[in-house]
Amino acid sequence: LLVASRRGFCLRGSGQRGGPGKKRGSVCARGEAKMAARQGGVFVTSKRSDGTIEKELFSPQCMKQNAMAITNGRTVTAIAGGIFSGILGLTGLQGALCYFLYMALFSATLLMKLGLKYQPYFTSWSQVCIDGLFSSITTYILFWTLAYNSVHVF
């Protein structure tokens, strides 16, 4: 979350960085299609229940930056959580389950930072909470065993 708090998340549709309080224009006008094509944006259309068609601009660059911010946050959380679990002396299943607790706390903190509105920054809820859940488990295990051995064995 350090990267996210310093630089802010990129707004999905604008190609600009912003905080949770900034709004995006989800319905794009005709003139924006040319601008989006020049900037490398991608239009996605969806049909609402009332029959209207909504066009939404996605910036691949912003989506990539947001995914990297989550990955970096999960890695930092895994390192801190591994060290904390090792110092506490957790072993076996207790230490392994703490990893999922730390990742749940990270996701909850991220959602609170976004004001429970993930839509301007991410395509789905699962991208915030589930994607990359197991990507930093080896980092957690490395720092967990290192801290445990440093404090309790040596």
Side-chain angles (χ1 to χ4, degrees), residues 19-143:
K22 295 193 177 183
K23 294 184 179 179
R24 65 176 168 91
S26 61
V27 180
C28 300
R30 288 183 199 165
E32 293 177 347
K34 291 180 183 178
M35 181 180 68
R38 277 186 255 134
Q39 293 178 350
V42 177
F43 272 115
V44 175
T45 60
S46 61
K47 192 172 187 178
R48 291 186 172 180
S49 60
D50 61 355
T52 60
I53 295 176
E54 179 183 39
K55 292 183 180 179
E56 192 166 5
L57 174 65
F58 289 90
S59 172
Q61 181 182 11
C62 288
M63 299 300 284
K64 182 179 177 182
Q65 177 190 345
N66 294 345
M68 287 299 298
I70 287 182
T71 302
N72 292 342
R74 287 195 189 277
T75 302
V76 169
T77 302
I79 291 170
I83 292 171
F84 187 67
S85 294
I87 291 172
L88 287 179
L90 300 177
T91 58
L93 193 57
Q94 289 177 338
L97 290 177
C98 276
Y99 172 77
F100 296 106
L101 175 69
Y102 298 138
M103 290 301 126
L105 287 173
F106 172 76
S107 295
T109 304
L110 182 61
L111 286 172
M112 293 303 291
K113 179 177 172 45
L114 296 176
L116 299 175
K117 295 179 182 177
Y118 63 89
Q119 292 92 355
Y121 310 100
F122 302 100
T123 55
S124 67
W125 177 84
S126 66
Q127 187 179 8
V128 177
C129 297
I130 298 173
D131 284 356
L133 186 65
F134 294 104
S135 64
S136 56
I137 196 163
T138 54
T139 305
Y140 173 79
I141 292 171
L142 173 72
F143 282 93

Side-chain angles (χ1 to χ4, degrees), residues 86 145-154:
T145 55
L146 178 69
Y148 181 84
N149 289 335
S150 297
V151 174
H152 298 285
V153 175
F154 298 122

